[in-house]
Amino acid sequence: MKVDMNILEEKAEILKAIAHPLRLCIVKGLIEKGENNVSYMQNCLETPQSTISQHLAKLKAAGIIDGERKGTEVYYKVINEDVKKIVRDLF
């Protein structure tokens, strides 16, 4: 059986992106509550907005979440099905 290293690298990057406790919490919250904005996450996580924004940028770069602008706010949601399965299995 030949191993596709590209797929393994892609999956490893996804795991690295959700391996931080705050990012895992953000993803878990988005899966459970649906779309949310940074202000909502800031209140729930009691973490500065700038910190949450940095973590959201990493999750977005990894293809785990996507954001949609609604007025002045951006609402984020989990778009990666593998991550949804992983997080549901963990919790």
Side-chain angles (χ1 to χ4, degrees):
M1 178 173 126
K2 184 168 170 76
V3 178
D4 186 338
M5 289 305 291
N6 290 331
I7 290 175
L8 291 175
E9 287 177 21
E10 179 184 313
K11 302 299 182 183
E13 288 302 315
I14 288 170
L15 291 172
K16 281 193 249 181
I18 63 171
H20 188 280
L22 190 56
R23 289 194 293 270
L24 184 58
C25 185
I26 289 169
V27 170
K28 181 180 181 285
L30 289 174
I31 290 169
E32 291 174 351
K33 307 275 190 230
E35 280 188 347
N36 271 305
N37 61 22
V38 175
S39 298
Y40 177 84
M41 291 179 222
Q42 180 183 8
N43 290 334
C44 289
L45 300 172
E46 297 178 353
T47 304
Q49 181 177 345
S50 60
T51 301
I52 293 172
S53 293
Q54 289 172 359
H55 287 292
L56 288 170
K58 288 181 181 183
L59 291 168
K60 190 170 182 181
I64 294 170
I65 65 168
D66 196 18
E68 180 182 339
R69 181 166 294 282
K70 294 180 182 179
T72 59
E73 295 282 340
V74 177
Y75 285 80
Y76 295 93
K77 64 182 176 186
V78 177
I79 59 170
N80 186 297
E81 293 301 320
D82 288 337
V83 169
K84 288 179 184 178
K85 290 176 197 171
I86 291 166
V87 172
R88 286 185 182 125
D89 286 346
L90 285 173
F91 298 98

